[in-house]
Amino acid sequence: MSAHPANRDVFVPHAFDEKQIDLGEITMNYVEEGSANNPALLLLPEQTGSWWGYEDAIRLLKDDFHVFAVDMRGQGRSSWTPRRYSLDNFGSDLVRFISLAIGRPVVVSGCSSGGVMAAWLSAFAMPGQIRAAICEDAPLFASELVPSFGHGIRQAAGPMFEMWNRYLGNQWSVGDWEGFIKAVKNSPFAVTAEMFPDPTQPPQFMKEYDPEWARAFFDGTVAVNCPHDVMLAQVKTPVLLTHHQRIEDPDSGILAGAISEPQARHAQRMIQAAGQRCDYQDYPEALHMMHQFDPALFARVVTDWVATLD
Amino acid sequence: MSAHPANRDVFVPHAFDEKQIDLGEITMNYVEEGSANNPALLLLPEQTGSWWGYEDAIRLLKDDFHVFAVDMRGQGRSSWTPRRYSLDNFGSDLVRFISLAIGRPVVVSGCSSGGVMAAWLSAFAMPGQIRAAICEDAPLFASELVPSFGHGIRQAAGPMFEMWNRYLGNQWSVGDWEGFIKAVKNSPFAVTAEMFPDPTQPPQFMKEYDPEWARAFFDGTVAVNCPHDVMLAQVKTPVLLTHHQRIEDPDSGILAGAISEPQARHAQRMIQAAGQRCDYQDYPEALHMMHQFDPALFARVVTDWVATLD
């Protein structure tokens, strides 16, 4: 598959019209819904997620917000950028997008790695760009190779990502779907099996995904120049951390989930120590992508929390 | 020393007035000279160099150009950013600076690592920001840990940088100047000895330098998400490569200089293959920082080449 989205045939129809914007290095694919008279809201998907994971949530949010939802580089119909997947490059895309496409202060809400990016934007965006950040079940610390606090990627999603990258390859250069499904079945990562209920072909979100993302997380290069503790110490806006379903294996102590409770509490303490308001909301029944699987709850969480901002 | 420039006492008087701009993550220190009616020119210093290495060159250029010269993060009176020294973060600062402080298309000229950044901007800046790029004796490939072509940093400036970082420490946390000078004297890097003619105290440019830059280059993290071959393949403007003094040891084949001739030719071929004009000018007598040590020649090189642009 090609790095340029125009050369990849991944389009399927959606409820909202897609637009593209040239950001210099990449072309970013996005949707924009709702009135410009309402507060701006930027939605960032999780790894393997395209903007349309937010489709139902956008239906619920577009009367109260000017909603933007994007495909990150390496995903959806945005450009693929071999060897250039890093938190700082994802963030630089978003800074440009906010500057060129939104043009006013925005509340940003991201899921999983998108939630890490919400924290990144709060810390490192241009002055005045970010009003507040919502980190939806974000793997703070837990998606780093060498976290300053708690367990790292190799004890979390890392081995799963390594498997994805091995069988699919950077830019789908391997593309061994049959071998991939066999490996998934034999792996201890139940979450992976659930993601692929029809083993005969890749689901749409995987077709839109550059498996080099997985390599960058497993290798740790994605965050090597953006340690999460350094980032959290520089947060400049209010932050909401939501924490979803997680299970700790009683024998091994290994956590199935995005982030441990001590890590979430530590992130909260660091943001507060940076002088910012940081709220923690626990949703132990919610799936990782609440925005996709319980859009009504997600829309309520966002709307209610934003209402508490000045 | 403090990461925030306001808390570090590094100011000495200069011929031109300094200004500061808040870019979000960092405060950037810079000067602006010449008329806004003339073409914009952005000057980027080398590693350990502050903007005032261009002081004499600015005197010669300010009648023909609207000149901006900056301190990069980690240098001069710009912010220091522990653990966040990377080509992409340097570049993101400059993209923001061009957007907020220059506001129109600019010719960028950088020396050494600043020259690498000139190529970076040509490849990755926002649409329309860069007219053309001048890479003044830039270590393309040769400053990478794992270059795609030719020798890498460990066979070039790497061991010298490792020595700097060891004795001075990230953010001058070690600061063993006596041990540093002793190590310099015993080292085979003649260039280092020449840089410190008065061994009793650090020269002004070193006081303004965060030695973690050296760590990032020696470790290779500075370019880990920005391989030079990936970058050069995406250059989007005309480029001038200047190539200065270099000596190859006849026994070892080891090069004293910023970049080998085959590497310079390879960079030129890659830029041309990207569909861009790339000129190569050889100045075998010029010192690495021609802009500082032969400002008249530097100003002529810049002015004459820019005159050939449409």
Side-chain angles (χ1 to χ4, degrees):
Chain A
M1 301 198 194
S2 164
H4 197 284
N7 301 325
R8 296 197 318 273
D9 180 19
V10 291
F11 179 70
V12 292
H14 296 292
F16 306 112
D17 286 342
E18 298 179 322
K19 304 188 214 182
Q20 286 83 34
I21 187 169
D22 179 3
L23 300 180
E25 182 180 1
I26 71 156
T27 297
M28 184 169 265
N29 187 55
Y30 70 104
V31 297
E32 176 183 358
E33 292 295 324
S35 161
N37 294 324
N38 286 327
L41 175 67
L42 173 60
L43 302 173
L44 310 176
E46 71 287 355
Q47 184 170 174
T48 75
S50 300
W51 73 264
W52 45 263
Y54 283 102
E55 209 164 35
D56 290 335
I58 293 169
R59 284 193 185 92
L60 298 170
L61 289 163
K62 71 185 174 57
D63 290 338
D64 293 319
F65 294 97
H66 189 197
V67 184
F68 297 81
V70 302
D71 288 337
M72 308 288 282
R73 58 167 65 196
Q75 180 67 40
R77 301 178 75 204
S78 290
S79 307
W80 289 3
T81 59
R83 301 185 68 184
R84 289 187 49 68
Y85 295 111
S86 72
L87 299 187
D88 293 323
N89 286 342
F90 302 150
S92 184
D93 292 340
L94 295 168
V95 163
R96 298 174 186 201
F97 180 79
I98 295 168
S99 176
L100 297 176
I102 301 181
R104 60 185 175 123
V106 64
V107 173
V108 59
S109 180
C111 179
S112 198
S113 55
V116 175
M117 293 316 304
W120 189 101
L121 286 167
S122 175
F124 298 136
M126 290 209 283
Q129 286 191 313
I130 307 298
R131 284 182 64 205
I134 299 173
C135 303
E136 183 192 0
D137 209 27
L140 296 163
F141 305 113
S143 58
E144 289 187 276
L145 186 64
V146 188
S148 65
F149 189 90
H151 71 288
I153 188 85
R154 296 284 170 104
Q155 195 185 318
M160 182 177 80
F161 289 153
E162 192 281 330
M163 182 175 69
W164 294 9
N165 184 259
R166 177 155 31 112
Y167 286 96
L168 306 180
N170 299 340
Q171 298 84 54
W172 283 79
S173 54
V174 179
D176 178 6
W177 188 254
E178 208 173 309
F180 176 72
I181 289 295
K182 202 175 295 179
V184 164
K185 275 188 185 152
N186 295 330
S187 89
F189 306 106
V191 60
T192 297
E194 282 170 22
M195 287 176 75
F196 310 109
D198 171 10
T200 61
Q201 59 169 337
Q204 181 65 24
F205 65 86
M206 285 299 281
K207 286 183 191 164
E208 300 186 8
Y209 168 70
D210 182 351
E212 192 177 340
W213 262 72
R215 194 272 308 150
F217 276 83
F218 183 76
D219 285 354
T221 55
V222 78
V224 71
N225 290 310
C226 183
H228 290 195
D229 55 328
V230 171
M231 173 180 77
L232 292 174
Q234 296 181 59
V235 158
K236 295 178 182 69
T237 70
V239 174
L240 168 62
L241 305 174
T242 72
H243 199 179
H244 304 184
Q245 206 174 84
R246 63 273 182 191
I247 301 161
E248 195 179 302
D249 182 277
D251 263 1
S252 65
I254 288 177
L255 182 91
I259 176 173
S260 73
E261 285 177 43
Q263 285 176 321
R265 293 294 179 187
H266 189 64
Q268 186 184 30
R269 278 192 303 271
M270 286 201 70
I271 293 167
Q272 289 169 341
Q276 298 300 328
R277 167 180 166 193
C278 182
D279 299 319
Y280 172 88
Q281 295 183 7
D282 194 7
Y283 298 97
E285 306 299 318
L287 295 179
H288 185 46
M289 286 103 83
M290 181 203 282
H291 69 269
Q292 185 169 359
F293 296 110
D294 194 346
L297 177 58
F298 174 75
R300 202 159 62 236
V301 168
V302 171
T303 307
D304 288 353
W305 189 70
V306 172
T308 70
L309 302 172
D310 55 331
Chain B
M1 301 199 192
S2 164
H4 197 282
N7 303 325
R8 295 197 319 273
D9 180 20
V10 292
F11 179 71
V12 292
H14 296 292
F16 305 112
D17 286 341
E18 298 180 324
K19 303 189 216 183
Q20 286 83 35
I21 186 168
D22 179 3
L23 300 179
E25 184 180 359
I26 71 157
T27 298
M28 184 169 265
N29 187 54
Y30 70 104
V31 297
E32 176 182 357
E33 293 294 326
S35 162
N37 294 325
N38 285 328
L41 175 67
L42 172 61
L43 302 173
L44 310 177
E46 70 288 353
Q47 183 169 176
T48 75
S50 300
W51 73 264
W52 45 263
Y54 283 102
E55 210 164 36
D56 289 336
I58 293 169
R59 283 191 185 92
L60 298 169
L61 289 163
K62 71 186 174 60
D63 290 338
D64 293 320
F65 293 97
H66 187 198
V67 183
F68 297 81
V70 302
D71 288 337
M72 308 287 282
R73 60 167 64 195
Q75 181 67 39
R77 300 178 77 204
S78 291
S79 308
W80 289 3
T81 59
R83 302 187 66 185
R84 291 189 48 67
Y85 296 111
S86 72
L87 299 186
D88 293 323
N89 286 343
F90 302 150
S92 184
D93 292 339
L94 296 168
V95 163
R96 297 174 187 202
F97 180 79
I98 294 168
S99 175
L100 296 176
I102 302 182
R104 60 187 176 120
V106 63
V107 174
V108 58
S109 180
C111 179
S112 199
S113 55
V116 175
M117 292 317 304
W120 189 101
L121 285 167
S122 176
F124 297 137
M126 290 210 282
Q129 286 192 311
I130 307 297
R131 284 181 64 205
I134 299 173
C135 304
E136 183 191 1
D137 209 27
L140 295 163
F141 307 112
S143 58
E144 288 187 276
L145 185 66
V146 188
S148 65
F149 190 89
H151 72 288
I153 189 84
R154 297 281 171 105
Q155 194 184 318
M160 182 177 80
F161 289 153
E162 192 280 331
M163 183 176 66
W164 294 8
N165 184 260
R166 178 154 31 112
Y167 287 96
L168 305 181
N170 299 339
Q171 297 84 53
W172 283 79
S173 53
V174 180
D176 178 8
W177 187 254
E178 211 174 302
F180 176 73
I181 288 296
K182 202 175 295 177
V184 163
K185 274 188 183 151
N186 295 330
S187 90
F189 305 106
V191 61
T192 296
E194 282 170 22
M195 287 175 78
F196 310 108
D198 172 9
T200 62
Q201 61 168 334
Q204 180 64 25
F205 65 86
M206 284 299 279
K207 287 183 191 163
E208 300 187 8
Y209 167 68
D210 182 351
E212 192 177 339
W213 261 72
R215 193 273 308 152
F217 276 84
F218 183 75
D219 284 354
T221 55
V222 78
V224 70
N225 289 311
C226 183
H228 290 195
D229 55 328
V230 171
M231 173 180 76
L232 293 173
Q234 296 180 59
V235 157
K236 295 178 180 70
T237 71
V239 174
L240 169 62
L241 305 174
T242 73
H243 199 179
H244 305 183
Q245 206 176 81
R246 63 273 181 191
I247 302 159
E248 194 178 303
D249 181 276
D251 263 1
S252 66
I254 289 178
L255 181 90
I259 177 172
S260 73
E261 285 178 43
Q263 285 176 321
R265 293 295 180 190
H266 190 63
Q268 184 183 31
R269 278 192 302 270
M270 285 201 70
I271 293 167
Q272 288 169 341
Q276 298 300 328
R277 169 182 164 192
C278 184
D279 298 319
Y280 172 89
Q281 294 183 7
D282 195 7
Y283 299 95
E285 307 299 319
L287 294 179
H288 186 46
M289 287 103 83
M290 179 203 282
H291 67 269
Q292 185 169 359
F293 297 109
D294 194 345
L297 177 57
F298 175 75
R300 200 159 64 239
V301 168
V302 171
T303 306
D304 289 353
W305 189 69
V306 173
T308 70
L309 302 172
D310 52 333

